[in-house]
Amino acid sequence: MTRYLTMGLLAEGPEDEIFLSALAVRQLTRLAASAPAPFDVADTMQSGAVGTARTAHPRLCAEAQDLATTCDLLLVHNDHRERDKIGKLRRDVSPPSDCRIVGIVPVRETEAWLLVDTRLLRSLPGAVPAALPWAGEPSGAQVERVADPKALLADVLPGYDTRLLAELLGQRIDLDRLQALPAYQQWCAELTSALKELHFL
């Protein structure tokens, strides 16, 4: 009988939630393809009613505790400067034994991850390739050194609705390009470890 992996997500803001939901489903589906026993990945995320950016810690813990009772993996997103929040959450939330909390912590902002697939960015209508600071495909270190990824993304794709852009890139960004980013590698390693603990891998 095929197992079914369910996920929850607490993200900083709506664009983060849209992008990371689509991305997580795709990445977990890729991991499922290498599993010794087949499992299916839910194609939608359960999301909380609060964002991790400005929510008081007790309310965030209550939201995480509630979500953890309904999913196998609870993904918690914070930008790099707020990464300590995930550690505090892990310390103060007691998920069921069949759920694991996994942090998603891009360097600087989530938009750094959106910048890594420059071939995709250049192909989008209205793109301004000259705004990219790289002539070809950037290394992971180059992308993670961008001081203001959100501003750079707006320069490369001016006039785009940020939520529509987050959805589009979440569905189409090259996962292999993302693997060049150290923060993404760390997230994938934590996902793999959690899935092994839950006996999905």
Short mmCIF file of all heavy atoms in Angstrom, two decimals, residues 84-125:
data_model
loop_
_atom_site.label_atom_id
_atom_site.label_comp_id
_atom_site.label_asym_id
_atom_site.label_seq_id
_atom_site.Cartn_x
_atom_site.Cartn_y
_atom_site.Cartn_z
N ASP A 84 16.88 32.28 14.28
CA ASP A 84 16.77 31.81 15.67
C ASP A 84 15.33 31.47 16.05
O ASP A 84 15.10 30.70 16.98
CB ASP A 84 17.31 32.86 16.63
CG ASP A 84 18.82 33.02 16.53
OD1 ASP A 84 19.47 32.13 15.92
OD2 ASP A 84 19.36 34.01 17.04
N LYS A 85 14.37 32.05 15.34
CA LYS A 85 12.96 31.78 15.65
C LYS A 85 12.63 30.30 15.48
O LYS A 85 11.82 29.74 16.21
CB LYS A 85 12.05 32.61 14.76
CG LYS A 85 11.98 34.08 15.12
CD LYS A 85 10.94 34.78 14.26
CE LYS A 85 10.80 36.25 14.64
NZ LYS A 85 9.77 36.91 13.81
N ILE A 86 13.24 29.66 14.49
CA ILE A 86 12.94 28.25 14.24
C ILE A 86 13.46 27.38 15.38
O ILE A 86 12.79 26.45 15.84
CB ILE A 86 13.52 27.80 12.88
CG1 ILE A 86 12.81 28.54 11.75
CG2 ILE A 86 13.39 26.29 12.69
CD1 ILE A 86 13.40 28.34 10.38
N GLY A 87 14.66 27.71 15.89
CA GLY A 87 15.19 26.97 17.03
C GLY A 87 14.30 27.11 18.25
O GLY A 87 14.05 26.13 18.98
N LYS A 88 13.81 28.31 18.51
CA LYS A 88 12.91 28.53 19.65
C LYS A 88 11.60 27.76 19.46
O LYS A 88 11.06 27.19 20.42
CB LYS A 88 12.61 30.03 19.80
CG LYS A 88 13.81 30.86 20.25
CD LYS A 88 13.44 32.33 20.28
CE LYS A 88 14.67 33.18 20.62
NZ LYS A 88 14.39 34.63 20.53
N LEU A 89 11.11 27.74 18.24
CA LEU A 89 9.87 27.02 17.96
C LEU A 89 10.06 25.53 18.21
O LEU A 89 9.22 24.88 18.85
CB LEU A 89 9.46 27.27 16.51
CG LEU A 89 8.05 26.84 16.10
CD1 LEU A 89 7.03 27.79 16.68
CD2 LEU A 89 7.92 26.81 14.58
N ARG A 90 11.16 24.98 17.72
CA ARG A 90 11.44 23.54 17.94
C ARG A 90 11.52 23.23 19.43
O ARG A 90 11.12 22.15 19.88
CB ARG A 90 12.75 23.16 17.27
CG ARG A 90 12.65 22.93 15.78
CD ARG A 90 13.88 22.17 15.31
NE ARG A 90 13.86 21.93 13.88
CZ ARG A 90 14.67 22.50 13.02
NH1 ARG A 90 15.56 23.39 13.43
NH2 ARG A 90 14.61 22.22 11.74
N ARG A 91 12.07 24.17 20.18
CA ARG A 91 12.23 23.95 21.62
C ARG A 91 10.89 23.96 22.36
O ARG A 91 10.70 23.24 23.33
CB ARG A 91 13.14 25.04 22.18
CG ARG A 91 13.88 24.68 23.43
CD ARG A 91 14.97 25.66 23.78
NE ARG A 91 14.55 27.05 23.71
CZ ARG A 91 15.08 27.96 22.91
NH1 ARG A 91 16.04 27.62 22.06
NH2 ARG A 91 14.66 29.21 22.91
N ASP A 92 9.95 24.79 21.89
CA ASP A 92 8.72 25.02 22.64
C ASP A 92 7.49 24.34 22.08
O ASP A 92 6.41 24.46 22.65
CB ASP A 92 8.47 26.54 22.74
CG ASP A 92 9.56 27.25 23.53
OD1 ASP A 92 10.21 26.59 24.36
OD2 ASP A 92 9.77 28.45 23.30
N VAL A 93 7.64 23.63 20.95
CA VAL A 93 6.52 22.90 20.36
C VAL A 93 6.81 21.41 20.47
O VAL A 93 7.94 20.97 20.25
CB VAL A 93 6.31 23.30 18.89
CG1 VAL A 93 5.28 22.40 18.22
CG2 VAL A 93 5.87 24.76 18.79
N SER A 94 5.79 20.65 20.83
CA SER A 94 5.95 19.20 20.96
C SER A 94 5.09 18.51 19.90
O SER A 94 3.93 18.17 20.17
CB SER A 94 5.54 18.73 22.36
OG SER A 94 6.33 19.36 23.33
N PRO A 95 5.64 18.32 18.70
CA PRO A 95 4.83 17.68 17.65
C PRO A 95 4.59 16.21 17.97
O PRO A 95 5.34 15.61 18.75
CB PRO A 95 5.70 17.84 16.40
CG PRO A 95 7.09 17.93 16.91
CD PRO A 95 7.00 18.61 18.25
N PRO A 96 3.57 15.62 17.39
CA PRO A 96 3.38 14.17 17.55
C PRO A 96 4.59 13.41 17.04
O PRO A 96 5.40 13.94 16.26
CB PRO A 96 2.14 13.88 16.68
CG PRO A 96 1.48 15.20 16.48
CD PRO A 96 2.56 16.24 16.53
N SER A 97 4.71 12.17 17.47
CA SER A 97 5.89 11.38 17.09
C SER A 97 5.98 11.13 15.59
O SER A 97 7.06 10.82 15.08
CB SER A 97 5.87 10.04 17.83
OG SER A 97 4.71 9.31 17.49
N ASP A 98 4.86 11.27 14.88
CA ASP A 98 4.87 11.03 13.43
C ASP A 98 4.93 12.33 12.62
O ASP A 98 4.53 12.36 11.46
CB ASP A 98 3.67 10.19 13.01
CG ASP A 98 2.34 10.84 13.41
OD1 ASP A 98 2.35 11.87 14.13
OD2 ASP A 98 1.27 10.32 13.00
N CYS A 99 5.45 13.40 13.23
CA CYS A 99 5.62 14.67 12.53
C CYS A 99 7.01 15.22 12.84
O CYS A 99 7.52 15.08 13.95
CB CYS A 99 4.55 15.68 12.96
SG CYS A 99 4.77 17.33 12.23
N ARG A 100 7.64 15.85 11.84
CA ARG A 100 8.94 16.50 12.03
C ARG A 100 8.85 17.95 11.59
O ARG A 100 8.19 18.28 10.59
CB ARG A 100 10.03 15.80 11.20
CG ARG A 100 10.35 14.38 11.64
CD ARG A 100 10.97 14.34 13.03
NE ARG A 100 11.30 12.98 13.44
CZ ARG A 100 10.45 12.14 14.02
NH1 ARG A 100 9.19 12.50 14.23
NH2 ARG A 100 10.84 10.92 14.37
N ILE A 101 9.52 18.83 12.33
CA ILE A 101 9.60 20.24 11.99
C ILE A 101 10.91 20.47 11.24
O ILE A 101 11.99 20.11 11.73
CB ILE A 101 9.55 21.13 13.25
CG1 ILE A 101 8.19 20.97 13.95
CG2 ILE A 101 9.79 22.60 12.89
CD1 ILE A 101 8.09 21.69 15.28
N VAL A 102 10.82 21.05 10.05
CA VAL A 102 12.00 21.31 9.22
C VAL A 102 12.04 22.80 8.88
O VAL A 102 11.05 23.35 8.38
CB VAL A 102 11.96 20.48 7.92
CG1 VAL A 102 13.15 20.84 7.02
CG2 VAL A 102 11.97 18.99 8.23
N GLY A 103 13.17 23.44 9.14
CA GLY A 103 13.31 24.86 8.85
C GLY A 103 13.68 25.11 7.40
O GLY A 103 14.37 24.30 6.76
N ILE A 104 13.18 26.23 6.86
CA ILE A 104 13.58 26.71 5.53
C ILE A 104 14.17 28.09 5.75
O ILE A 104 13.46 29.03 6.11
CB ILE A 104 12.39 26.84 4.56
CG1 ILE A 104 11.58 25.54 4.49
CG2 ILE A 104 12.88 27.23 3.17
CD1 ILE A 104 10.33 25.66 3.64
N VAL A 105 15.50 28.23 5.56
CA VAL A 105 16.16 29.49 5.87
C VAL A 105 17.06 29.91 4.70
O VAL A 105 18.25 29.61 4.68
CB VAL A 105 17.01 29.38 7.16
CG1 VAL A 105 17.54 30.77 7.56
CG2 VAL A 105 16.19 28.79 8.31
N PRO A 106 16.49 30.62 3.71
CA PRO A 106 17.35 31.16 2.64
C PRO A 106 18.30 32.21 3.21
O PRO A 106 17.99 32.87 4.21
CB PRO A 106 16.35 31.81 1.67
CG PRO A 106 15.02 31.21 2.01
CD PRO A 106 15.08 30.92 3.48
N VAL A 107 19.45 32.37 2.59
CA VAL A 107 20.35 33.45 2.97
C VAL A 107 19.70 34.76 2.52
O VAL A 107 19.23 34.88 1.39
CB VAL A 107 21.74 33.26 2.35
CG1 VAL A 107 22.60 34.51 2.54
CG2 VAL A 107 22.43 32.05 2.98
N ARG A 108 19.68 35.73 3.40
CA ARG A 108 19.03 37.03 3.21
C ARG A 108 17.52 36.84 3.07
O ARG A 108 16.81 36.81 4.05
CB ARG A 108 19.63 37.81 2.04
CG ARG A 108 21.12 38.08 2.23
CD ARG A 108 21.63 39.09 1.24
NE ARG A 108 23.10 39.12 1.25
CZ ARG A 108 23.82 39.83 2.11
NH1 ARG A 108 23.25 40.56 3.02
NH2 ARG A 108 25.15 39.78 2.03
N GLU A 109 17.00 36.70 1.85
CA GLU A 109 15.55 36.61 1.63
C GLU A 109 15.25 35.49 0.65
O GLU A 109 16.12 35.05 -0.10
CB GLU A 109 15.03 37.94 1.04
CG GLU A 109 15.27 39.14 1.92
CD GLU A 109 15.02 40.46 1.19
OE1 GLU A 109 15.25 40.53 -0.03
OE2 GLU A 109 14.61 41.41 1.86
N THR A 110 13.98 35.05 0.65
CA THR A 110 13.57 34.00 -0.28
C THR A 110 13.85 34.38 -1.72
O THR A 110 14.14 33.52 -2.56
CB THR A 110 12.06 33.70 -0.11
OG1 THR A 110 11.79 33.45 1.27
CG2 THR A 110 11.63 32.50 -0.93
N GLU A 111 13.78 35.68 -2.02
CA GLU A 111 14.02 36.14 -3.40
C GLU A 111 15.39 35.73 -3.92
O GLU A 111 15.58 35.65 -5.14
CB GLU A 111 13.84 37.65 -3.49
CG GLU A 111 12.40 38.12 -3.48
CD GLU A 111 11.74 38.10 -2.11
OE1 GLU A 111 12.45 37.89 -1.10
OE2 GLU A 111 10.51 38.27 -2.05
N ALA A 112 16.35 35.47 -3.03
CA ALA A 112 17.66 34.99 -3.49
C ALA A 112 17.49 33.66 -4.23
O ALA A 112 18.16 33.40 -5.24
CB ALA A 112 18.62 34.83 -2.32
N TRP A 113 16.58 32.81 -3.76
CA TRP A 113 16.34 31.54 -4.43
C TRP A 113 15.68 31.76 -5.79
O TRP A 113 15.95 31.05 -6.75
CB TRP A 113 15.46 30.63 -3.56
CG TRP A 113 16.20 30.06 -2.38
CD1 TRP A 113 17.44 30.42 -1.93
CD2 TRP A 113 15.74 29.04 -1.50
NE1 TRP A 113 17.78 29.69 -0.82
CE2 TRP A 113 16.75 28.83 -0.53
CE3 TRP A 113 14.58 28.29 -1.40
CZ2 TRP A 113 16.63 27.89 0.49
CZ3 TRP A 113 14.45 27.36 -0.38
CH2 TRP A 113 15.47 27.16 0.55
N LEU A 114 14.82 32.78 -5.89
CA LEU A 114 14.14 33.06 -7.14
C LEU A 114 15.10 33.56 -8.22
O LEU A 114 14.80 33.48 -9.41
CB LEU A 114 13.04 34.11 -6.93
CG LEU A 114 11.69 33.60 -6.43
CD1 LEU A 114 11.78 33.06 -5.01
CD2 LEU A 114 10.64 34.70 -6.49
N LEU A 115 16.27 34.06 -7.82
CA LEU A 115 17.23 34.62 -8.77
C LEU A 115 18.15 33.58 -9.41
O LEU A 115 18.85 33.89 -10.36
CB LEU A 115 18.10 35.67 -8.07
CG LEU A 115 17.44 36.99 -7.70
CD1 LEU A 115 18.33 37.78 -6.76
CD2 LEU A 115 17.13 37.80 -8.96
N VAL A 116 18.17 32.37 -8.90
CA VAL A 116 19.21 31.43 -9.30
C VAL A 116 19.03 30.91 -10.73
O VAL A 116 20.01 30.60 -11.40
CB VAL A 116 19.30 30.26 -8.29
CG1 VAL A 116 18.13 29.29 -8.45
CG2 VAL A 116 20.62 29.51 -8.42
N ASP A 117 17.81 30.83 -11.21
CA ASP A 117 17.55 30.28 -12.55
C ASP A 117 17.47 31.44 -13.55
O ASP A 117 16.38 31.84 -13.98
CB ASP A 117 16.26 29.46 -12.54
CG ASP A 117 16.06 28.67 -13.84
OD1 ASP A 117 16.82 28.89 -14.80
OD2 ASP A 117 15.13 27.84 -13.88
N THR A 118 18.62 31.95 -13.95
CA THR A 118 18.62 33.13 -14.81
C THR A 118 18.11 32.83 -16.22
O THR A 118 17.56 33.70 -16.88
CB THR A 118 20.04 33.75 -14.90
OG1 THR A 118 20.97 32.75 -15.31
CG2 THR A 118 20.45 34.30 -13.56
N ARG A 119 18.23 31.59 -16.66
CA ARG A 119 17.67 31.23 -17.97
C ARG A 119 16.16 31.41 -17.96
O ARG A 119 15.58 31.96 -18.90
CB ARG A 119 18.03 29.78 -18.30
CG ARG A 119 17.59 29.35 -19.68
CD ARG A 119 18.04 27.93 -19.99
NE ARG A 119 19.48 27.80 -19.89
CZ ARG A 119 20.15 26.66 -19.93
NH1 ARG A 119 19.49 25.53 -20.09
NH2 ARG A 119 21.45 26.62 -19.84
N LEU A 120 15.51 30.97 -16.89
CA LEU A 120 14.07 31.15 -16.76
C LEU A 120 13.72 32.63 -16.66
O LEU A 120 12.79 33.11 -17.34
CB LEU A 120 13.55 30.39 -15.53
CG LEU A 120 12.09 30.61 -15.15
CD1 LEU A 120 11.16 30.21 -16.29
CD2 LEU A 120 11.75 29.83 -13.87
N LEU A 121 14.45 33.38 -15.85
CA LEU A 121 14.16 34.80 -15.68
C LEU A 121 14.25 35.54 -17.02
O LEU A 121 13.39 36.36 -17.35
CB LEU A 121 15.12 35.43 -14.67
CG LEU A 121 15.04 34.92 -13.24
CD1 LEU A 121 16.08 35.63 -12.37
CD2 LEU A 121 13.64 35.12 -12.66
N ARG A 122 15.31 35.26 -17.78
CA ARG A 122 15.50 35.94 -19.06
C ARG A 122 14.40 35.60 -20.07
O ARG A 122 14.14 36.39 -20.98
CB ARG A 122 16.87 35.57 -19.66
CG ARG A 122 18.06 36.15 -18.91
CD ARG A 122 19.36 35.84 -19.65
NE ARG A 122 20.51 36.41 -18.98
CZ ARG A 122 21.38 35.73 -18.23
NH1 ARG A 122 21.23 34.42 -18.08
NH2 ARG A 122 22.39 36.34 -17.64
N SER A 123 13.78 34.43 -19.91
CA SER A 123 12.77 33.98 -20.88
C SER A 123 11.40 34.60 -20.63
O SER A 123 10.52 34.51 -21.49
CB SER A 123 12.64 32.46 -20.84
OG SER A 123 11.96 32.04 -19.66
N LEU A 124 11.20 35.22 -19.49
CA LEU A 124 9.87 35.74 -19.16
C LEU A 124 9.60 37.05 -19.89
O LEU A 124 10.50 37.88 -20.05
CB LEU A 124 9.75 35.94 -17.64
CG LEU A 124 9.86 34.66 -16.81
CD1 LEU A 124 9.80 34.98 -15.32
CD2 LEU A 124 8.76 33.66 -17.18
N PRO A 125 8.37 37.26 -20.33
CA PRO A 125 8.02 38.51 -21.04
C PRO A 125 8.32 39.73 -20.18
O PRO A 125 8.03 39.74 -18.98
CB PRO A 125 6.50 38.37 -21.27
CG PRO A 125 6.23 36.91 -21.20
CD PRO A 125 7.22 36.34 -20.22
#
